[in-house]
Amino acid sequence: MQIKDCVKVAVRVRPFNKREKDAGSSCVVSMSSTSITIQDPRNSHSRRSFCFDFAYWSHSGFTRDRSGLFLPEEPGGRYADQGSVFQDLGEGILHNALQGYNATLLAYGQTGSGKSYSMVGFGPNRGLVPTLCQRLFLEIKTNLDTRQCQVFFSMLEIYNEQVIDLLSRGARPPGGLRVREEQQRGFYVEGLRTVPCDTATQIDQLMEQGTRTRTTAATHMNANSSRSHMLIILQLKQIFSKESTSKQSNINLVDLAGSERQRSSGSEADRLKEGTAINLSLATLGNVISALADVAVGKKVLHIPYRDSVLTKLLQSALGGNSRTVMIATVSPSDICYEESLSTLRYAERAKRIQNRAVVNESPTERLVKELKAENVRLLQRLTRLEQEGRRTDHESKELRGLLSHNELQIRAIHTLWEQHLQEALRDWEQQYTTITQERRMMQMYPYIININEDAQLSGVVKLFIQDGEWDVGLSDSTNAKSICIKGLGVQDRHAVFKNVQRRVSLTPLAGSKVIINGNSISQTTELQHLDRLILGSNSTYLFIGYPSERGGDDWSRYDYDYFLSELAAAEGIQLGESSVHSSQTDPSLLAVFYDYTKLMPMVSEANQMSRELSKGVEFKLEIKNLALSDSRGQDLEKHIVIRVTSLERKQVWVWSKAKFVNRKFLMEELYQQQAESRDQSGQGLSGVALPKDRDPFWDPLEPLLLGRAHLWLQSLAFRIALEEQLEVLGSDGTEEAVLQTRLIPCNPSGVPLGEDDILIDPSELLGRRLDFQLVLDRCCGVRWIKEARNRGVQIGFRVFDGAPARYTPAVWSDVNPPLEQRLHFSSFQTSHSLLGHLQNSALVLELWGLQEGCVPLTSTLEGVKMTAEGIFIIDEAESDAMPMESLEHAGTVKALHQALEELKTTNQSLKKENHALREQLNTAKNGGECVRGRSLRPSCDAEFARALKVFYHSMTSVRGQLQRLRRHRPSEDQDLLALRSFVDQQARLLRDFSEQLELSVSALKQEVAAIVRRKRERSGIWPS
């Protein structure tokens, strides 16, 4: 009977991990019953809510007992432990399988969100898979009197569209196992090993074997588990003797790859975005889920793309087919992981609309047995009838009895086949048990190293023992008995030597090999201590375990993959100190950058190694963009990671975003794997195959690069004071890229510079009046970009307002001190409050763009730009936005006439006043002209005030530069005591210089103002001279 059934979806929220705790992350996920709400950490009003079949809060409210089992703090608390999850999900899967239905469990989520913990578990916290197997065999044992059960176990991995049998005892075939299709079976993996099991312990051992194979394969292929899918297939056959019936069901347990891999770049376009097969499975799975969700709501869908990837072929029955399916989506509640968690919830919401059509499965083998038994009955009936009729002949009797014997033999063969498979599996299991026993004995005798993997389930699987004497470590399987074979990118044939003498272990790197201990690269023999962290090659990570006498009761679990990465980052000077970690003042973008930086470090190391082995001549380097830059108001820009890509031969440079680099890294791995397989077949080394440029992941078209920014503060314009500056152009890391000579010149509408008499003491006097000024870009000096390669060029770009179109100077090539010779006239016909505020509080951000041979220079656009007939740029948006563009010139002319009329009126009024003053002077000439001195006093004092203000403003400009240098000053990357003392001394000197300069400027202004006031009083006769 066919049953229509929707996919059941559960969501589980995990606790903060160590990295998120150290970063001071906040929780952005809340849960009520089966409803989950996620809040955008950047916008408190932006929330999204989702409703699922099950929701598990495992973030807080738990305690750990002595055995390591996590339990709710209070009975009946909201914390969902492993038992609660199995009770809802695992019990249903087990029940469906025992009823004869196919059952599937999918685990989906971001890498590190808790998929593997929910599926497999850790220590005493057993996950869904081992608990399900344990309960399955308990159920079989309980019902032995009514049915016989046979269980077969398979385990495979899909990486880069290749199927790998994790239980195979032979060599992995090139290209992996093939996926075939039959009308009855559907899609299946040809040659996949299936192992019969009669206890849960055997399945645990097989899972351990498969995990070991998976770890070794991942290291050999330069892959990691976050980019691969793991499938465990349990085939359950039940034979009911009384009813003479049987049922056969498949239980598919699927741990999907990290969900962040399907979003290769978010919104950013990459010309090779769709080229990687690594992303294909998850992307196709998303397309299948979307198509099936549309079908469920009645939409017409012409094609469901099951055949587009290996994963969706094997999951066809689980998605919209003959299976009862459950999906568990795991999310991180951290604000750092908001985007990925939201994407996971949206994915799960689509999946819950899928409808399957499950039926009870009859075993094809049992159907054959039934047919044979039925044929035997018919043959016996025929034989009896012939004997009764007396028409039997010896020939017919022999023929019928031969058929009966043949059928009986077939039936016995089918029934004994299970026993044979089981005995073979038992022999394999005994052999594995012997190996495991020997390994445990050696662990109590010798030191060893264990692998550390990004997936905690794969850590500690590989143990390499260091016995007495010298042991070569490397790629080659040497005939030397004392050699340890390690596979991995950047590992040489003979990479290093372990030496174990008198219970002391040392490690010696060989020439040209890369060895890192506790985050620091070594080149000489180093004695190892218990729990030292080793990195061999690009990213083969191991933890050293000393002799049993050294071990004590240490907790090794804290040395996880993140610990290795944080240690590497700290060695490069990228770390969050204890004081800043828990401080509420820590920049959130810095926390996210620290996370991204540590995650990308091993990927960059691997990309550099592949570039070297493929002779690409390309170098990758991590950079933190906007680390030392700010916006037009002086506020720090959001920090993020970029990857600087340099062609060492041609001196060409690209800057890739994190997402673009991750996508390209996948493509590099594919290319590297193809070359590695060709090398294995031909016996020759790797060589960089000449790919077309448009398909080469190491190449991109050249584009202008933003080298740095400089800030030209506009405050002087509010006082109508001319400003001449030599600005430091700073790169994103705070290094000086060039010095830019600039001027701001207040002028009249004709472009004639204003004099000292036009300086304003109160900037509010500008309101409602016309303001004209010129921006002059004279020259760039000491351009580091061109010093490195003379065939390069530069441009300067800027925006007068934040939202205004960008303007670019003409490109200048091959000159370290390029002349710019740009003079631009800007005008505001009526200065508004917003413009005046902008001048007083903001800066003109000048961007230095680098050009390379072959790239197209940046060009200015006139779209949205308002100009007069004289070529003056209009910046008073309040007045001009409402004007049609075609009447802009006429409006400018009318305004200019009005302005001239107002100036004439002002001049006429001034002449009248002057005339009246002269008459008064003539009338009072006989009294000594006291009134004249009194009336001429104000203009004289105003001019003196203006000059004093101008001097003070220029001195304050120097003070501001000193403050910027103080802000940019950071300790060196060498975190030793000597460097720290030097930094403290320099910081103290800069602070002292800044304080002295500020005090001198303020003191000079006070003295000048006091002198002006004193002279005014002396002239007015208040103080006797």
Side-chain angles (χ1 to χ4, degrees):
M1 182 177 67
Q2 190 180 90
I3 296 178
K4 185 179 290 187
D5 188 26
C6 288
V7 172
K8 298 289 190 296
V9 177
V11 173
R12 191 177 192 186
V13 182
R14 66 157 171 79
F16 285 146
N17 57 27
K18 181 180 182 298
R19 184 192 69 248
E20 292 164 347
K21 289 178 182 176
D22 290 345
S25 297
S26 59
C27 180
V28 295
V29 175
S30 59
M31 185 181 294
S32 176
S33 184
T34 58
S35 176
I36 290 182
T37 301
I38 185 167
Q39 176 180 312
D40 189 340
R42 297 159 298 187
N43 182 0
S44 59
H45 300 290
S46 176
R47 296 187 178 187
R48 287 289 307 274
S49 294
F50 303 86
C51 190
F52 299 101
D53 299 290
F54 304 96
Y56 302 108
W57 182 261
S58 301
H59 173 63
S60 59
F62 60 90
T63 184
R64 188 175 185 176
D65 67 8
R66 292 183 178 179
S67 66
L69 187 67
F70 292 108
L71 299 168
E73 284 180 338
E74 301 176 358
R78 68 185 302 207
Y79 175 74
D81 59 8
Q82 296 282 62
S84 303
V85 176
F86 180 80
Q87 186 175 355
D88 290 338
L89 305 182
E91 291 279 9
I93 292 172
L94 179 61
H95 178 70
N96 289 332
L98 291 173
Q99 284 186 318
Y101 295 102
N102 290 337
T104 301
L105 173 64
L106 302 169
Y108 180 84
Q110 178 188 1
T111 300
S113 63
K115 295 193 312 297
S116 296
Y117 178 79
S118 295
M119 290 288 283
V120 182
F122 184 77
N125 301 281
R126 293 169 65 84
L128 285 164
V129 176
T131 307
L132 177 67
C133 295
Q134 187 179 31
R135 288 291 306 277
L136 173 62
F137 284 103
L138 181 62
E139 187 73 23
I140 292 172
K141 187 176 180 181
T142 306
N143 297 280
L144 280 176
D145 55 337
T146 61
R147 61 189 170 196
Q148 280 186 315
C149 292
Q150 298 175 358
V151 178
F152 290 88
F153 180 90
S154 300
M155 190 173 180
L156 63 90
E157 181 181 44
I158 301 173
Y159 174 77
N160 198 18
E161 290 301 285
Q162 294 185 10
V163 178
I164 303 165
D165 186 352
L166 297 178
L167 301 181
S168 174
R169 291 170 293 188
R172 182 173 68 91
L177 300 178
R178 301 188 65 178
V179 176
R180 301 285 192 180
E181 184 182 15
E182 281 186 3
Q183 187 173 0
Q184 296 295 328
R185 297 176 60 183
F187 288 104
Y188 68 97
V189 179
E190 184 181 44
L192 180 67
R193 187 182 178 208
T194 58
V195 182
C197 303
D198 60 357
T199 65
T201 305
Q202 286 181 322
I203 288 186
D204 288 343
Q205 296 294 338
L206 289 169
M207 286 181 62
E208 184 175 337
Q209 176 190 343
T211 302
R212 185 185 298 271
T213 305
R214 190 182 185 198
T215 305
T216 306
T219 305
H220 180 69
M221 293 193 304
N222 183 36
N224 67 51
S225 63
S226 65
R227 280 173 266 151
S228 65
H229 315 282
M230 184 187 71
L231 280 75
I232 292 176
I233 304 170
L234 291 171
Q235 296 178 12
L236 172 63
K237 178 182 178 182
Q238 305 172 83
I239 304 171
F240 300 88
S241 54
K242 290 183 180 180
E243 295 85 354
S244 297
T245 60
S246 68
K247 296 177 182 178
Q248 179 167 312
S249 55
N250 289 342
I251 305 174
N252 300 308
L253 306 170
V254 188
D255 188 352
L256 295 169
S259 60
E260 73 277 3
R261 305 301 176 185
Q262 68 162 328
R263 299 189 320 119
S264 62
S265 65
S267 60
E268 180 177 346
D270 181 6
R271 64 185 179 86
L272 297 178
K273 179 178 177 180
E274 303 300 333
T276 172
I278 295 176
N279 294 327
L280 180 62
S281 288
L282 269 184
T284 305
L285 180 61
N287 296 336
V288 168
I289 288 176
S290 296
L292 292 172
D294 290 341
V295 171
V297 296
K299 293 184 179 179
K300 185 176 181 180
V301 177
L302 298 177
H303 172 64
I304 298 175
Y306 289 116
R307 298 175 179 274
D308 289 358
S309 76
V310 170
L311 176 68
T312 48
K313 285 178 181 178
L314 297 179
L315 293 182
Q316 181 173 5
S317 64
L319 299 170
N322 177 23
S323 177
R324 286 183 167 177
T325 302
V326 175
M327 173 186 282
I328 180 168
T330 55
V331 298
S332 164
S334 169
D335 51 358
I336 297 176
C337 302
Y338 166 76
E339 295 289 346
E340 297 296 349
S341 297
L342 178 61
S343 173
T344 299
L345 293 173
R346 285 172 172 165
Y347 202 91
E349 186 181 42
R350 292 201 307 270
K352 73 178 184 179
R353 297 200 293 266
I354 298 175
Q355 291 184 346
N356 291 346
R357 291 167 176 80
V359 297
V360 175
N361 299 291
E362 186 182 28
S363 167
T365 304
E366 185 63 26
R367 188 164 53 247
L368 176 60
V369 172
K370 280 184 180 181
E371 292 172 356
L372 290 171
K373 286 182 176 180
E375 186 178 358
N376 280 1
V377 170
R378 288 194 301 272
L379 289 171
L380 284 171
Q381 289 175 351
R382 182 181 174 191
L383 185 61
T384 303
R385 189 170 59 251
L386 287 173
E387 288 177 348
Q388 290 174 352
E389 294 176 357
R391 293 185 290 108
R392 177 174 62 86
T393 64
D394 291 339
H395 176 72
E396 286 179 323
S397 177
K398 288 181 180 179
E399 182 180 353
L400 290 173
R401 292 189 185 281
L403 287 172
L404 282 170
S405 300
H406 177 72
N407 288 350
E408 290 293 343
L409 286 173
Q410 276 191 287
I411 292 170
R412 280 198 296 271
I414 290 171
H415 283 298
T416 57
L417 185 61
W418 158 256
E419 297 294 335
Q420 293 174 2
H421 285 315
L422 189 58
Q423 290 300 320
E424 183 182 348
L426 284 172
R427 286 193 296 271
D428 288 346
W429 183 80
E430 288 173 357
Q431 185 178 357
Q432 291 177 33
Y433 182 78
T434 303
T435 304
I436 292 170
T437 304
Q438 182 182 0
E439 183 180 88
R440 288 175 179 171
R441 187 170 61 251
M442 293 187 69
M443 289 171 63
Q444 300 304 317
M445 296 172 57
Y446 299 106
Y448 57 94
I449 58 176
I450 59 174
N451 73 302
I452 301 298
N453 195 280
E454 182 179 3
D455 186 345
Q457 302 298 328
L458 302 187
S459 292
V461 173
V462 176
K463 298 179 182 66
L464 303 173
F465 295 94
I466 308 170
Q467 302 179 49
D468 295 337
E470 293 188 0
W471 294 80
D472 290 343
V473 181
L475 283 175
S476 62
D477 296 318
S478 174
T479 54
N480 179 13
K482 289 193 171 183
S483 64
I484 300 174
C485 182
I486 290 180
K487 302 288 185 181
L489 191 62
V491 177
Q492 300 184 4
D493 289 342
R494 292 187 70 245
H495 196 84
V497 176
F498 280 111
K499 189 174 183 180
N500 185 354
V501 178
Q502 297 180 350
R503 300 178 68 86
R504 302 171 75 91
V505 180
S506 62
L507 178 61
T508 305
L510 298 180
S513 64
K514 180 180 178 181
V515 176
I516 295 175
I517 299 180
N518 300 336
N520 300 306
S521 181
I522 66 165
S523 57
Q524 297 179 343
T525 301
T526 303
E527 185 174 338
L528 299 179
Q529 305 297 324
H530 177 54
L531 298 182
D532 274 351
R533 282 78 60 200
L534 314 179
I535 302 179
L536 307 178
S538 297
N539 195 31
S540 298
T541 49
Y542 294 90
L543 183 67
F544 174 72
I545 308 299
Y547 276 97
S549 58
E550 304 173 40
R551 297 171 193 173
D554 299 321
D555 181 15
W556 306 347
S557 62
R558 70 190 186 98
Y559 296 108
D560 57 6
Y561 191 72
D562 282 344
Y563 190 98
F564 277 66
L565 298 187
S566 299
E567 196 169 50
L568 277 176
E572 293 190 9
I574 307 296
Q575 61 181 336
L576 297 175
E578 291 295 326
S579 60
S580 64
V581 162
H582 302 289
S583 170
S584 60
Q585 302 299 319
T586 306
D587 185 350
S589 65
L590 275 179
L591 300 178
V593 159
F594 179 74
Y595 166 67
D596 286 342
Y597 195 96
T598 55
K599 285 293 184 184
L600 288 173
M601 281 181 62
M603 298 181 69
V604 168
S605 176
E606 291 169 359
N608 280 322
Q609 184 63 36
M610 286 187 285
S611 173
R612 286 190 288 270
E613 294 191 27
L614 294 173
S615 303
K616 290 294 183 179
V618 176
E619 183 180 67
F620 301 89
K621 181 183 177 184
L622 277 173
E623 291 184 353
I624 302 178
K625 191 175 181 181
N626 299 334
L627 184 63
L629 300 180
S630 56
D631 63 11
S632 62
R633 292 183 176 270
Q635 299 173 347
D636 286 344
L637 295 173
E638 184 176 352
K639 282 70 178 168
H640 56 275
I641 295 292
V642 296
I643 291 80
R644 188 179 183 90
V645 186
T646 305
S647 173
L648 300 177
E649 181 181 354
R650 297 186 177 89
K651 299 294 183 183
Q652 295 173 335
V653 180
W654 299 267
V655 174
W656 289 352
S657 69
K658 166 195 165 185
K660 185 173 186 176
F661 170 74
V662 170
N663 186 61
R664 292 299 181 88
K665 169 70 163 40
F666 294 157
L667 293 168
M668 295 173 197
E669 289 177 9
E670 290 183 22
L671 179 62
Y672 183 85
Q673 272 308 119
Q674 293 169 5
Q675 294 302 303
E677 290 175 0
S678 299
R679 174 195 59 188
D680 294 341
Q681 294 174 4
S682 64
Q684 299 177 355
L686 292 175
S687 61
V689 175
L691 287 174
K693 282 188 175 181
D694 59 346
R695 291 177 51 205
D696 189 350
F698 291 88
W699 180 87
D700 238 7
L702 293 173
E703 297 177 348
L705 301 179
L706 178 60
L707 304 178
R709 291 184 174 96
H711 286 70
L712 180 62
W713 292 93
L714 303 174
Q715 191 176 19
S716 64
L717 294 177
F719 297 92
R720 294 206 299 206
I721 297 176
L723 178 66
E724 185 173 351
E725 284 271 36
Q726 290 193 347
L727 303 172
E728 291 178 291
V729 181
L730 300 177
S732 60
D733 57 352
T735 57
E736 182 182 295
E737 296 290 339
V739 174
L740 185 59
Q741 296 177 357
T742 62
R743 286 180 287 162
L744 281 176
I745 304 174
C747 62
N748 64 19
S750 301
V752 178
L754 300 180
E756 291 184 354
D757 294 339
D758 298 299
I759 295 175
L760 300 177
I761 297 175
D762 183 3
S764 63
E765 295 180 40
L766 271 178
L767 291 173
R769 299 173 62 182
R770 175 166 178 158
L771 171 66
D772 288 86
F773 68 91
Q774 293 179 343
L775 169 65
V776 181
L777 304 175
D778 290 316
R779 179 180 290 274
C780 236
C781 299
V783 181
R784 190 161 69 99
W785 171 253
I786 299 181
K787 286 180 182 177
E788 294 172 353
R790 288 284 181 163
N791 61 343
R792 295 173 175 172
V794 291
Q795 288 180 278
I796 300 294
F798 62 90
R799 290 179 173 87
V800 180
F801 287 101
D802 290 339
R807 304 286 308 168
Y808 299 98
T809 62
V812 183
W813 296 85
S814 307
D815 194 335
V816 177
N817 303 305
L820 302 174
E821 299 176 352
Q822 289 292 299
R823 182 183 293 263
L824 301 172
H825 188 156
F826 299 91
S827 178
S828 170
F829 295 135
Q830 189 172 5
T831 304
S832 62
H833 283 89
S834 61
L835 175 59
L836 184 59
H838 181 78
L839 296 178
Q840 290 179 303
N841 301 306
S842 301
L844 184 66
V845 180
L846 299 166
E847 299 176 338
L848 178 64
W849 289 85
L851 305 176
Q852 305 174 74
E853 199 171 17
C855 77
V856 180
L858 298 165
T859 57
S860 305
T861 176
L862 294 178
E863 184 179 353
V865 177
K866 301 162 187 176
M867 298 176 62
T868 66
E870 294 80 15
I872 300 174
F873 294 91
I874 301 171
I875 59 174
D876 51 345
E877 297 179 77
E879 291 287 339
S880 56
D881 279 349
M883 298 182 190
M885 288 299 295
E886 57 270 15
S887 61
L888 186 60
E889 294 183 5
H890 299 293
T893 305
V894 172
K895 283 191 175 184
L897 291 174
H898 279 295
Q899 187 74 21
L901 181 60
E902 291 297 324
E903 290 177 358
L904 288 173
K905 288 181 179 180
T906 303
T907 304
N908 187 33
Q909 191 68 24
S910 300
L911 289 172
K912 287 182 179 180
K913 289 181 179 180
E914 186 178 352
N915 188 27
H916 181 70
L918 289 172
R919 287 179 181 178
E920 287 187 352
Q921 290 179 22
L922 289 173
N923 292 333
T924 57
K926 59 180 71 174
N927 297 326
E930 295 294 331
C931 294
V932 175
R933 286 199 303 271
R935 294 180 186 280
S936 62
L937 181 63
R938 178 175 175 80
S940 175
C941 290
D942 285 350
E944 290 177 357
F945 268 121
R947 282 191 291 272
L949 185 62
K950 181 179 179 180
V951 172
F952 175 71
Y953 183 82
H954 282 290
S955 63
M956 287 305 295
T957 300
S958 178
V959 169
R960 182 185 287 112
Q962 187 76 3
L963 178 61
Q964 290 177 344
R965 283 190 290 274
L966 190 61
R967 288 177 61 189
R968 293 194 304 269
H969 191 231
R970 291 180 173 84
S972 65
E973 295 182 359
D974 301 325
Q975 299 294 325
D976 55 5
L977 185 60
L978 183 62
L980 188 59
R981 286 176 177 170
S982 174
F983 167 75
V984 171
D985 292 341
Q986 293 177 13
Q987 191 83 346
R989 187 177 69 255
L990 287 172
L991 280 169
R992 185 172 60 253
D993 293 346
F994 172 72
S995 176
E996 291 176 356
Q997 200 166 3
L998 181 61
E999 188 175 348
L1000 284 173
S1001 300
V1002 175
S1003 176
L1005 180 64
K1006 287 181 178 178
Q1007 293 176 5
E1008 194 69 31
V1009 171
I1012 293 171
V1013 172
R1014 185 168 54 251
R1015 286 195 296 271
K1016 177 180 178 181
R1017 291 180 175 178
E1018 288 175 353
R1019 293 171 185 169
S1020 62
I1022 297 177
W1023 287 351
S1025 57

